[in-house]
Amino acid sequence: MESLNYYGLKREEIDEVFLSGSNKKILTHASGLVDETKKQFKNNNIRLANLNLDIIKLMIEYVNEGTKK
């Protein structure tokens, strides 16, 4: 994910902060990030908005993988 590289973030850091807790907690956090992303787009902060979208995608994928097991 290009935006993670741009900000120098590692997948492990994202996992620690955004992929811990119950599925409900993760999805609630993702929902909040959607609202934050809308604000970033409105303020023309496209790079940060893209970072948020990449993180949201990882969060949803993580929850989806957990429900398949």
Side-chain angles (χ1 to χ4, degrees):
M1 302 202 158
E2 191 175 309
S3 61
L4 295 178
N5 292 334
Y6 177 81
Y7 284 98
L9 296 170
K10 294 182 173 35
R11 175 62 193 257
E12 295 80 23
E13 295 170 322
I14 299 299
D15 290 355
E16 281 181 33
V17 175
F18 296 98
L19 304 180
S20 61
S22 68
N23 286 349
K24 182 178 179 178
K25 179 183 173 193
I26 293 169
L27 291 176
T28 301
H29 194 170
S31 177
L33 274 178
V34 169
D35 293 333
E36 180 62 28
T37 302
K38 287 179 180 180
K39 290 178 190 174
Q40 295 303 329
F41 274 121
K42 185 177 179 181
N43 293 330
N44 289 321
N45 195 342
I46 304 304
R47 285 200 186 270
L48 186 54
N50 283 330
L51 173 64
N52 286 343
L53 289 172
D54 285 343
I55 292 171
I56 293 165
K57 181 180 178 185
L58 290 172
M59 295 167 87
I60 293 169
E61 287 172 353
Y62 178 83
V63 170
N64 280 339
E65 286 300 314
T67 57
K68 288 181 185 176
K69 295 179 181 179

